[in-house]
Amino acid sequence: MTQADDLLVTHDVTVCYGSHQALNPTSLAFSEGGVTALIGPSGCGKSTFLRCINLMNREIPGCRVGGEILYHGNDVNSRSQDLFQLRKSIGMVFQQPNPFHKSIRENIVFAPRRHGVSDKDELDALVEDSLKAAAIWDEVKDQLDQSAFALSGGQQQRLCIARTLAMRPDVVLMDEPCSALDPISTFAIEQTIRDMAERGICVVIVTHNMEQAARVSDRTAYFLLGDMVETGPTKELFSRPRTSGSTTTSRGGSDDGREQDGGRAPRPVLRRLPCPEGRLARAWRRTRVTALIGPSGCGKSTLLRCLNRMNDRVEGMPPHGLGPARRRGRARGL
Amino acid sequence: MPSAKGSATASARRADKAATVVLACIVGLICVALVAIIVGILVSGAGKLFDINFLTAKPEQFKEGGGIGPELFNSFYLLLLTLLISVPVSLGAAVFLAEYAPEGPVTTVVKTVIEALSSLPSIVVGLFGFLFFVLTLGWGFSIMSGALALTMFNIPILVRVIQQALEAVPRDQRDAGLALGLTRWETTLHILVPSAMPAIITGVILSAGRVFGEAAALIYTAGQSAPALDFLNLNLLSTSCPWNVWRPAETLAVHIWKINSEGVVPDLTAISNGTAAVLMVCILLFNVLARFAGRRLARRLTAE
């Protein structure tokens, strides 16, 4: 399956953590402008495989990588390969948003500056381009000098993508980039992934969300218990899977928490939510699943934390009770 | 609210209440004791505290009315020198231990040794300094001997505090830096150290308080005499030049010890109380100022 235009090729890559073999020989090829999804249950070796590509596994003590990873035809593990240059052109986005404790602008320009870009106009252009490419420019253009930690989780993750894109990488590795995010941020990031592919970047994304793999990827590789058991064009893999594992797993992603309202009306378990203007009143009933959705920073977690009074422990949050008969209080952000 | 209110829940709730009360009592007792000590020291030394002559004049040998001017200066000068030497060294050692040292028996031994050294009695450090800096190296009773003894006393604590501060920075910050093609040194210097800065500053302040009030390590290293200082004298080899690091220098804490053990001035109690109050106020002020500076610095480094 290796072709001449493949940017990145792995031959029989294996990974051991101490004596435990986490990844059995895996051969895959990734081409420019293509999105490859690595799917499979947790612990199947997909993240381990991903971290081999930009040699992040070297940072884990006791981790040994075997086989061959060719990037532009050169083995990444050879001595002549410059580790820092390699990581610059093979970017990585992590599962949890991990912006630096710096301003938004600094998050973008910090690494390019360390790599020798010093012209101020060039850096400013880089900030704008990267943030636009990650679809976050409009939201943050007026607060570039504020802390990145003031952003919501979804915005932070897009900032991390922008930070990676600022290095002008050929390959972007994404390790479950949306698993900590809300649906709207996820949608924005999936959009960004497609844009990146159109600009010729090779994207490898690890995801446990089958629908996400189906939405964004051109090719999919399915991992199970340390083996890469199946690979192929995403459309084929999802419509005619050869192994039973991929069908079993693909059922997992379909339930999105629909409300199941039966004929009888169950007694509400939680009735009125505390809130100053009484703007948000909801009843939660037994045998009913309620999904709280919305963009990041909209107050859904805040609301959730009110229900078991975890907000009592949050500084600046006045104590409050639940239910009409109990103390009235207020919840921030509703 | 949970509908089940079993006996287990009720007893857990009682235990929670009891723990709250007990903890509050303990904190209350500690606070009362500490406030009593601080207020006691400040009140008994209040007369001298605002006496400009006491704060600037040189101490008298036999008659009353002596001051603590040179001691006050010496204390700050020694603290400054000690921090100038010990902070960079400790930072380097802590960065190595936290970021570079491979896990293994050697690292474990080093860490254990540092922990043991951090509880070394200061008089032992002082006597070592006397034997090595004062006698073997022939530096005599000098600020340099004292600063190095204090450095030895300070480094183990600083290393531990800075190491813990660095290790408390989440792993993903390291990964983020490395994944952008930065070296480990760039990641440490520009990402980890700024993130750990508030904790590092707090550690340095706490250790500075200990250094500022230290007496035992200085008695046999920086000496027990305070030559009169002439601030216009810039000859770095002259004993009366304040900046000369080869002159003996008694500090506030040593002065308190000395005047109580062998002082013959008639007003020694008043001088001792006054010195203690000045020492106390210096440490309090120093803490407040340094904390403020640390917050400002952290905000500037992290844009928060």
Side-chain angles (χ1 to χ4, degrees):
Chain A
M1 69 190 183
T2 306
Q3 288 159 22
D5 63 335
D6 283 336
L7 184 61
L8 187 70
V9 182
T10 69
H11 283 304
D12 292 337
V13 170
T14 57
V15 180
C16 296
Y17 293 121
S19 59
H20 166 66
Q21 179 136 6
L23 185 69
N24 296 321
T26 301
S27 301
L28 278 172
F30 307 95
S31 57
E32 263 173 47
V35 179
T36 308
L38 311 180
I39 61 173
S42 9
C44 67
K46 54 195 192 304
S47 293
T48 298
F49 175 73
L50 192 75
R51 292 173 65 95
C52 290
I53 299 176
N54 65 345
L55 306 184
M56 284 301 279
N57 273 351
R58 284 198 186 167
E59 310 304 328
I60 302 171
C63 175
R64 278 177 296 122
V65 180
E68 203 179 27
I69 301 172
L70 298 176
Y71 171 62
H72 285 300
N74 303 319
D75 189 354
V76 298
N77 280 306
S78 75
R79 260 177 200 287
S80 58
Q81 179 70 52
D82 178 355
L83 175 69
F84 306 112
Q85 211 54 41
L86 180 88
R87 285 188 183 152
K88 194 183 153 193
S89 39
I90 304 185
M92 188 164 207
V93 177
F94 295 85
Q95 185 169 3
Q96 292 290 332
N98 55 355
F100 299 133
H101 287 267
K102 295 175 188 294
S103 67
I104 294 170
R105 186 197 311 276
E106 272 299 310
N107 261 279
I108 305 286
V109 301
F110 171 63
R113 204 190 283 140
R114 302 303 313 169
H115 282 287
V117 183
S118 55
D119 183 56
K120 191 171 180 306
D121 293 338
E122 200 180 336
L123 287 172
D124 282 346
L126 194 61
V127 169
E128 187 170 342
D129 290 350
S130 321
L131 290 173
K132 274 184 178 155
I136 189 182
W137 170 253
D138 292 331
E139 291 161 59
V140 302
K141 64 180 177 216
D142 301 323
Q143 40 173 331
L144 290 178
D145 290 311
Q146 284 180 25
S147 166
F149 276 73
L151 299 174
S152 73
Q155 290 172 324
Q156 286 183 15
Q157 190 66 305
R158 276 178 284 155
L159 176 64
C160 291
I161 294 176
R163 178 175 73 183
T164 307
L165 292 178
M167 311 301 291
R168 312 224 182 275
D170 293 342
V171 181
V172 173
L173 310 173
M174 304 182 118
D175 190 356
E176 301 188 24
C178 303
S179 66
L181 303 185
D182 60 273
I184 292 171
S185 300
T186 303
F187 177 74
I189 286 177
E190 286 173 6
Q191 204 64 41
T192 308
I193 293 173
R194 290 312 316 176
D195 293 347
M196 278 153 60
E198 261 157 47
R199 292 195 292 140
I201 295 175
C202 163
V203 181
V204 186
I205 174 172
V206 163
T207 174
H208 53 223
N209 182 335
M210 299 302 131
E211 290 173 334
Q212 183 170 57
R215 282 193 298 266
V216 301
S217 69
D218 307 311
R219 294 181 68 84
T220 298
Y222 175 62
F223 286 71
L224 187 65
L225 297 172
D227 280 307
M228 200 275 293
V229 291
E230 193 173 347
T231 180
T234 302
K235 284 206 181 79
E236 263 174 47
L237 193 99
F238 277 84
S239 52
R240 290 188 299 277
R242 289 193 302 272
T243 45
S244 62
S246 34
T247 45
T248 320
T249 328
S250 58
R251 265 189 284 138
S254 63
D255 195 332
D256 53 1
R258 281 165 288 132
E259 293 197 359
Q260 300 164 353
D261 229 339
R264 69 203 162 84
R267 194 171 60 86
V269 181
L270 295 163
R271 204 184 296 273
R272 189 178 155 71
L273 265 186
C275 114
E277 289 86 21
R279 263 185 293 152
L280 198 133
R282 293 271 313 127
W284 275 268
R285 295 193 168 85
R286 282 180 205 283
T287 74
R288 184 159 140 172
V289 180
T290 307
L292 306 178
I293 62 170
S296 28
C298 68
K300 51 195 188 304
S301 299
T302 307
L303 179 54
L304 200 69
R305 290 172 63 90
C306 289
L307 297 181
N308 65 348
R309 298 186 53 189
M310 287 304 280
N311 277 345
D312 287 6
R313 290 286 175 191
V314 178
E315 235 172 83
M317 185 81 67
H320 61 264
L322 285 172
R326 297 188 60 85
R327 284 166 293 160
R328 281 289 167 81
R330 52 190 64 218
R332 199 165 53 177
L334 288 177
Chain B
M1 291 303 292
S3 51
K5 282 186 184 170
S7 59
T9 321
S11 80
R13 206 172 296 173
R14 260 202 311 279
D16 185 46
K17 282 227 168 67
T20 312
V21 171
V22 170
L23 293 178
C25 285
I26 293 175
V27 171
L29 266 176
I30 294 173
C31 284
V32 166
L34 289 180
V35 168
I37 291 174
I38 294 177
V39 169
I41 289 176
L42 291 183
V43 166
S44 55
K48 294 279 187 191
L49 198 53
F50 302 102
D51 182 350
I52 292 295
N53 187 47
F54 176 70
L55 294 179
T56 54
K58 68 182 180 59
E60 293 290 347
Q61 296 291 329
F62 305 110
K63 49 180 189 164
E64 57 188 299
I68 54 164
E71 282 81 5
L72 193 54
F73 175 81
N74 290 342
S75 287
F76 277 105
Y77 192 35
L78 253 172
L79 175 65
L80 182 73
L81 278 181
T82 305
L83 290 183
L84 278 181
I85 304 169
S86 60
V87 170
V89 174
S90 309
L91 197 58
V95 163
F96 179 78
L97 285 176
E99 302 302 325
Y100 286 81
E103 291 289 323
V106 179
T107 314
T108 315
V109 168
V110 170
K111 285 182 182 173
T112 315
V113 167
I114 288 174
E115 298 210 349
L117 277 179
S118 65
S119 52
L120 199 65
S122 54
I123 186 68
V124 175
V125 175
L127 288 173
F128 169 80
F130 176 67
L131 287 176
F132 188 66
F133 302 124
V134 176
L135 298 182
T136 309
L137 294 183
W139 291 351
F141 290 125
S142 64
I143 290 188
M144 199 39 121
S145 306
L148 285 180
L150 285 180
T151 298
M152 298 196 31
F153 165 79
N154 202 17
I155 280 181
I157 299 157
L158 272 185
V159 170
R160 269 189 61 183
V161 172
I162 298 176
Q163 187 191 341
Q164 279 166 1
L166 286 172
E167 279 168 357
V169 178
R171 219 207 122 69
D172 61 11
Q173 291 282 318
R174 278 176 194 84
D175 284 352
L178 295 173
L180 286 170
L182 303 176
T183 61
R184 205 188 290 211
W185 176 239
E186 286 172 316
T187 308
T188 304
L189 195 65
H190 298 285
I191 297 169
L192 303 184
V193 172
S195 296
M197 196 47 93
I200 293 177
I201 294 281
T202 310
V204 171
I205 295 167
L206 290 178
S207 80
R210 270 177 47 131
V211 165
F212 197 77
E214 178 55 39
L218 290 175
I219 291 171
Y220 300 108
T221 51
Q224 306 166 36
S225 60
L229 300 178
D230 174 9
F231 282 86
L232 297 175
N233 184 346
L234 292 179
N235 174 8
L236 286 180
L237 296 174
S238 152
T239 320
S240 64
C241 170
W243 314 105
N244 177 5
V245 292
W246 304 110
R247 67 183 170 86
E250 187 190 38
T251 64
L252 289 176
V254 174
H255 190 59
I256 294 175
W257 172 80
K258 180 156 179 240
I259 208 161
N260 278 306
S261 60
E262 46 193 68
V264 290
V265 287
D267 57 346
L268 67 89
T269 313
I271 288 182
S272 159
N273 286 345
T275 312
V278 171
L279 193 60
M280 193 79 236
V281 168
C282 286
I283 290 180
L284 288 178
L285 270 183
F286 186 70
N287 266 271
V288 172
L289 281 177
R291 240 167 245 276
F292 178 71
R295 254 207 308 273
R296 286 287 297 274
L297 180 66
R299 205 173 299 150
R300 235 199 56 191
L301 286 172
T302 63
E304 264 169 53

